[in-house]
Amino acid sequence: MKPEAKPLAISDEAKVIVDLLKAENNQALVQLKEKAGLSGKKWDAAMKELAKQNLTKVVVEGDAKTVVLN
């Protein structure tokens, strides 16, 4: 028997970021931050939370930084 999928135990701010990435993966970090509409402190906390749970990753290519779902 397959265990039930548990909903993500993350903050509301982190859920906003995940929802934006589900709609369109591989978004530029600057554009994603703008779309999320979070303050700097909340943005940093949410991104750290997602990285800690291995849900997102920031990919750096030259000067471009993009955020992707794992």
Side-chain angles (χ1 to χ4, degrees):
M1 194 174 198
K2 203 175 191 183
E4 288 185 36
K6 294 181 182 178
L8 294 176
I10 56 176
S11 67
D12 290 339
E13 291 84 7
K15 286 180 185 175
V16 168
I17 296 170
V18 169
D19 289 343
L20 288 169
L21 287 170
K22 282 182 179 177
E24 182 183 339
N25 204 3
N26 295 343
Q27 292 192 44
L29 186 123
V30 174
Q31 292 173 341
L32 181 62
K33 185 175 181 181
E34 209 173 274
K35 287 180 186 177
L38 300 173
S39 69
K41 221 176 199 182
K42 288 184 178 184
W43 170 262
D44 290 343
M47 287 299 289
K48 285 179 184 175
E49 178 182 354
L50 292 170
K52 190 174 186 179
Q53 293 191 20
N54 202 28
L55 295 173
T56 61
K57 177 172 61 172
V58 177
V59 178
V60 180
E61 294 177 5
D63 290 339
K65 294 179 184 176
T66 56
V67 181
V68 295
L69 282 174
N70 283 340

